[in-house]
Amino acid sequence: MNQRQLKGTGVALVTPFKNGKVDFDALEKVIEHCIDGGVDFLVSLGTTGEAITLTSDECRQVFDFTLKVNNGRLPMVVGFFGGNDTANLIRRINNFNFDGFDAMMSSGPAYNKPTQEGFYQHFMAMQEHAPLPVIIYNVPGRTASNISGETIVRLAHASEKFIAVKEASGDLNQAMHILKYKPDSFEVLSGDDQLTLPMLACGANGVISVIANAFPYQFSTMVRAGLERDFQKAKMYNDMLLDVHPWLYNDGNPCGIKAAMNILGFCENELRLPLVPVGEDTYAHLKKEMEPLLVKA
């Protein structure tokens, strides 16, 4: 894969549900909305896609359906969560059909809270079996352990299989460390929509976004302007979305973006336990902040 394709705006697609089942009609509408809105690549079953509440069969159905709808128009990344067992992750990789995908994204192990050496050995063992380029997904808010900037740089230099990091630590100092010491070919993608603009200013290559499900045009235009160093334009579009962001996360992700997609009419406001819809107050505030953008959604 030409990793330059991973620059810009990637969207971590939601998984719509209706009456407890995956709503494939709604998923198709979301995919088309994102493509029409100008995103640069698609991520199927990342955190926002609620993969951990789906069965293995449902995951495969979502992957295959998304590949079919996309039909080669944009690069596609497959979400492949690290779990908490390196050997089991490798077994899953060896038994998975990656045809049609351009890269895989894998998070750090959860719950175990490994040392930095443990992170390093985990990813090095995994990449030996990965048939695709790998995006390291650092999301300590969910795994309870941060993959340090030093470890990410170490991995990036250790294997060409690692082509990017989705950096969602929320720590700009860590992001800047990675940007300074990484190989030139290694991409840094923001994992926090609200920090994407400052990360672009520091040299990041793009984002894997939540809000781009709802507002792909506005967010991808902001990212594109940032990559072109037109920060006046980038700030204008960032400001449009600034007051929406907090309400997307007030009751957790993907609960907030599911509410936003419901407000826009794309899908039901439905999740699977232990996730539940946002509260009435959050929904009302989110709708209020979205209203100025609805005519452009």
Side-chain angles (χ1 to χ4, degrees), residues 3-4 6-7 136 148-160 162-167 173-190 199-206 227 229:
Q3 65 195 73
R4 287 178 297 178
L6 287 178
K7 291 183 178 179
I136 302 165
S148 71
E150 290 81 2
T151 298
I152 291 169
V153 169
R154 183 184 176 194
L155 288 165
H157 282 284
S159 172
E160 293 183 353
F162 300 116
I163 61 164
V165 61
K166 179 183 177 182
E167 174 51 36
N173 287 322
Q174 175 159 308
M176 288 189 291
H177 177 92
I178 299 168
L179 286 161
K180 179 176 180 179
Y181 293 107
K182 71 179 183 67
D184 289 342
S185 61
F186 187 78
E187 311 286 12
V188 177
L189 305 170
S190 171
M199 283 185 64
L200 292 172
C202 293
N205 307 101
L227 289 171
R229 322 313 284 173

Side-chain angles (χ1 to χ4, degrees), residues 4-279:
R4 287 178 297 178
Q5 291 177 301
L6 287 178
K7 291 183 178 179
T9 302
V11 56
L13 294 165
V14 299
T15 301
F17 296 118
K18 187 173 184 179
N19 299 323
K21 298 181 179 180
V22 177
D23 186 345
F24 289 101
D25 289 340
L27 178 57
E28 181 173 6
K29 292 176 184 177
V30 172
I31 295 168
E32 294 294 350
H33 173 62
C34 291
I35 293 175
D36 290 346
V39 304
D40 298 293
F41 61 97
L42 305 176
V43 179
S44 184
L45 293 188
T47 300
T48 306
E50 299 179 65
I52 57 174
T53 70
L54 301 180
T55 67
S56 296
D57 287 344
E58 286 175 324
C59 286
R60 187 70 254 181
Q61 291 166 8
V62 170
F63 288 140
D64 290 342
F65 184 82
T66 305
L67 285 166
K68 179 182 177 181
V69 173
N70 180 49
N71 194 27
R73 287 178 287 176
L74 295 180
M76 282 197 55
V77 177
V78 55
F80 220 79
F81 287 96
N84 53 16
D85 178 352
T86 306
N88 186 52
L89 174 63
I90 291 171
R91 284 192 293 270
R92 289 169 53 215
I93 290 172
N94 290 338
N95 292 322
F96 189 82
N97 180 2
F98 289 91
D99 290 350
F101 288 99
D102 300 284
M104 61 180 291
M105 182 175 72
S106 188
S107 59
Y111 192 80
N112 286 322
K113 302 184 73 172
T115 64
Q116 294 305 311
E117 182 62 25
F119 278 126
Y120 178 79
Q121 293 193 26
H122 167 82
F123 277 102
M124 289 301 293
M126 179 268 282
Q127 62 86 32
E128 291 182 5
H129 297 264
L132 295 177
V134 176
I135 301 172
I136 302 165
Y137 182 14
N138 183 35
V139 58
R142 292 185 180 271
T143 65
S145 298
N146 179 52
I147 310 171
S148 71
E150 290 81 2
T151 298
I152 291 169
V153 169
R154 183 184 176 194
L155 288 165
H157 282 284
S159 172
E160 293 183 353
K161 191 71 69 72
F162 300 116
I163 61 164
V165 61
K166 179 183 177 182
E167 174 51 36
S169 69
D171 185 342
L172 280 175
N173 287 322
Q174 175 159 308
M176 288 189 291
H177 177 92
I178 299 168
L179 286 161
K180 179 176 180 179
Y181 293 107
K182 71 179 183 67
D184 289 342
S185 61
F186 187 78
E187 311 286 12
V188 177
L189 305 170
S190 171
D192 292 297
D193 286 352
Q194 293 156 292
L195 294 182
T196 297
L197 182 53
M199 283 185 64
L200 292 172
C202 293
N205 307 101
V207 60
I208 295 178
S209 171
V210 174
I211 201 171
N213 281 279
F215 299 108
Y217 173 77
Q218 290 88 341
F219 199 71
S220 61
T221 299
M222 183 276 288
V223 172
R224 199 165 292 117
L227 289 171
E228 294 170 353
R229 322 313 284 173
D230 185 350
F231 289 110
Q232 183 176 0
K233 181 178 180 180
K235 183 181 183 301
M236 179 181 72
Y237 278 91
N238 193 60
D239 285 350
M240 291 180 187
L241 300 169
L242 194 64
D243 295 329
V244 177
H245 287 301
W247 296 105
L248 290 178
Y249 305 103
N250 192 60
D251 292 352
N253 180 54
C255 310
I257 192 63
K258 272 288 182 72
M261 300 306 283
N262 178 251
I263 291 167
L264 292 172
F266 282 102
C267 66
E268 301 294 325
N269 188 21
E270 184 176 329
L271 301 99
R272 283 185 175 172
L273 290 172
L275 300 177
V276 295
V278 300

